[in-house]
Amino acid sequence: MTPDRDHVLIVGGGQAAMSVATELRRLKHPCRITILGDEDLLPYRRPPLSKGYLLGELTASRLLIRDAQALAAADIHCRTRSRVIAIDRARKTVALAGGESLAYTRLVLATGGRARTLPLPGADAPNVLTLRGIEDVERLQGYCARGRHAAIIGGGFIGLELAAVLSQLEVQVSVFEAAPRLLQRAASPQISRFVERMHRDHGVAVHTGAQVEALTGPARVAEVRLVGGESVPVDFVVVGVGLVPSVELAAGAGLEVSDGIAVDRYCRTSDPSIYAVGDCSNHPSTRYGQRMRLESVQNAQDQGRAAARNIAGDPTPYDNLPWFWSDQFDVKLQMAGVRVAGTTEVVRGDPADGKNFAVLQVRDGVLVAAETVNRAADFLASRKLIEAGTPVDPVQLADGNIPLAALLT
């Protein structure tokens, strides 16, 4: 098969899929590109779903990463409502739900994931919702009447961002988190305390150490019952307890799967003709000495670009520094790196006095992770310090009069 006949087939309709396709075109790789998405919409950005789209500030067309005209101009063929049900690795084909079969030279799995559900009595009631795609948000909008009471199960980023937006819509909100503090797996105790105080100040009822035992009601959930007997009356429930990576296609094809689709440092699965990127992908990190599956826009975009370069014949290992952000009320929380054991925490600013501080993790004299609240300059400098492995002095880090950028060498 000659290069101009190569066919890169991408399964998935999100930012990872589009990142692969647009990077291949930027590299001028002479291949056909087909994106197969199972939703009605062309590939779109998901972060605004629970913010601007839920608030009614954005239309569906403004969520699109590229519109139909731009895709056509880039010679990227994108098919909606095209669900892939099987991969035939021997024939290098995929089977679609409608019976069609498509051949590929390289296959990219950008299948993302689905919202995790709760194995609880009442969790299948019609007013128990999850939040992953545009249809989920449109369903949720029907419940967001002023004065209604929403229960959000899960005190991670998804649940807290949603709590902030629902509060803006004048919905009464209660957050239930089973762990002792909010954001326990993702953030430092200082950030957790600040975020909890911020939500309480905006009228959100925060319940930590709260294990939900059942969702009760005759036909629809009317109460959230906690272990210990307490019940809280609600009008609807949103479950935000994480994402389950979509690995069924990969597993069915005999690819290695372990908390996601296992890939090597070049984004290749156990079949060298098949790549996996984004939320569904589990990659090795030399930086952190472990395998990682990351759920972030940054990872989807960067890993997609790396996969494209590898497909195009430019060997590019993927080990980018992870970074994240979260907008809640009037606060922008930005995080760089991953918190690890054995670090010393350094605080810039006062978490108890305002909305402008940073928590930095130092290990063996270098910065390994940073959490910043409304400190964009510190966030950008922290990323550079972490990536460079620049030796740092904790005393200087803590001195708010010294810009972090000044510590770069």
Side-chain angles (χ1 to χ4, degrees):
M1 183 175 287
T2 58
D4 63 340
R5 299 292 296 168
D6 283 357
H7 187 197
V8 176
L9 192 59
I10 306 170
V11 182
Q15 293 192 255
M18 278 300 301
S19 182
V20 176
T22 54
E23 182 69 3
L24 284 170
R25 286 295 174 250
R26 190 190 70 80
L27 295 169
K28 297 181 170 33
H29 186 53
C31 64
R32 291 185 295 128
I33 301 174
T34 303
I35 297 176
L36 301 173
D38 59 5
E39 295 185 74
D40 287 337
L41 203 61
L42 292 171
Y44 63 92
R45 296 173 293 124
R46 294 183 188 274
L49 285 176
S50 60
K51 305 176 187 70
Y53 190 73
L54 179 57
L55 287 168
E57 297 171 350
L58 294 176
T59 61
S61 63
R62 290 185 61 190
L63 296 176
L64 299 181
I65 301 170
R66 286 197 178 188
D67 61 22
Q69 184 176 358
L71 288 168
D75 192 24
I76 297 171
H77 185 205
C78 188
R79 296 176 48 168
T80 59
R81 291 175 289 180
S82 297
R83 185 168 63 90
V84 177
I85 59 173
I87 301 167
D88 187 329
R89 291 167 53 194
R91 291 188 173 89
K92 286 194 172 182
T93 61
V94 300
L96 276 62
E100 186 179 359
S101 179
L102 293 177
Y104 64 84
T105 310
R106 294 287 185 270
L107 178 65
V108 182
L109 300 177
T111 49
R114 59 188 179 277
R116 192 181 300 276
T117 57
L118 292 174
L120 292 175
D124 58 350
N127 61 334
V128 177
L129 315 172
T130 56
L131 189 62
R132 181 62 182 166
I134 193 167
E135 290 183 355
D136 297 327
V137 178
E138 290 171 350
R139 185 179 171 207
L140 173 60
Q141 285 172 326
Y143 288 89
C144 293
R146 179 180 179 181
R148 285 189 173 176
H149 190 176
I152 297 177
I153 301 177
F157 286 120
I158 294 174
L160 294 173
E161 289 175 359
L162 182 58
V165 172
L166 291 181
S167 295
Q168 288 180 252
L169 294 171
E170 300 186 71
V171 173
Q172 183 183 352
V173 181
S174 295
V175 173
F176 300 90
E177 170 54 54
R181 61 182 176 89
L182 301 177
L183 299 172
Q184 178 159 304
R185 291 187 300 170
S188 64
Q190 291 94 328
I191 293 291
S192 293
R193 288 193 290 270
F194 167 77
V195 169
E196 179 172 345
R197 185 173 67 250
M198 173 178 65
H199 276 265
R200 291 187 185 279
D201 288 347
H202 283 86
V204 176
V206 178
H207 305 260
T208 54
Q211 296 187 30
V212 178
E213 184 176 67
L215 306 173
T216 62
R220 304 162 73 84
V221 173
E223 289 185 330
V224 174
R225 189 172 74 227
L226 305 178
V227 172
E230 181 184 359
S231 289
V232 178
V234 298
D235 293 301
F236 64 98
V237 177
V238 185
V239 178
V241 292
L243 176 144
V244 179
S246 294
V247 301
E248 291 79 10
L249 273 177
L255 300 176
E256 183 182 348
V257 170
S258 178
D259 183 30
I261 304 169
V263 299
D264 65 12
R265 54 203 296 259
Y266 299 100
C267 307
R268 296 174 303 204
T269 69
S270 49
D271 182 327
S273 296
I274 304 177
Y275 296 72
V277 295
D279 293 353
C280 69
S281 173
N282 185 307
H283 72 277
S285 172
T286 303
R287 184 186 303 275
Y288 292 102
Q290 63 186 44
R291 296 193 67 88
M292 307 180 76
R293 187 178 65 79
L294 300 172
E295 300 170 14
S296 73
V297 172
Q298 168 266 331
N299 178 67
Q301 293 175 330
D302 288 355
Q303 196 173 36
R305 283 190 285 265
R309 289 192 288 270
N310 290 314
I311 291 169
D314 177 17
T316 304
Y318 178 71
D319 196 20
N320 291 28
L321 176 71
W323 55 271
F324 317 85
W325 79 88
S326 178
D327 294 317
Q328 299 173 37
F329 300 109
D330 58 347
V331 164
K332 180 174 283 292
L333 172 62
Q334 294 171 292
M335 308 171 72
V338 176
R339 298 175 69 245
V340 294
T343 61
T344 299
E345 290 193 339
V346 177
V347 179
R348 287 169 63 84
D350 185 358
D353 184 28
K355 300 175 180 178
N356 189 297
F357 68 97
V359 181
L360 311 175
Q361 281 84 39
V362 178
R363 185 175 66 177
D364 300 328
V366 298
L367 188 65
V368 295
E371 304 162 318
T372 66
V373 174
N374 291 339
R375 282 190 175 230
D378 277 0
F379 169 69
L380 293 174
S382 295
R383 283 176 54 186
K384 294 177 180 177
L385 286 167
I386 297 168
E387 287 173 336
T390 303
V392 293
D393 179 354
V395 175
Q396 289 183 316
L397 289 180
D399 188 342
N401 294 317
I402 300 176
L404 286 186
L407 304 182
L408 290 164
T409 57

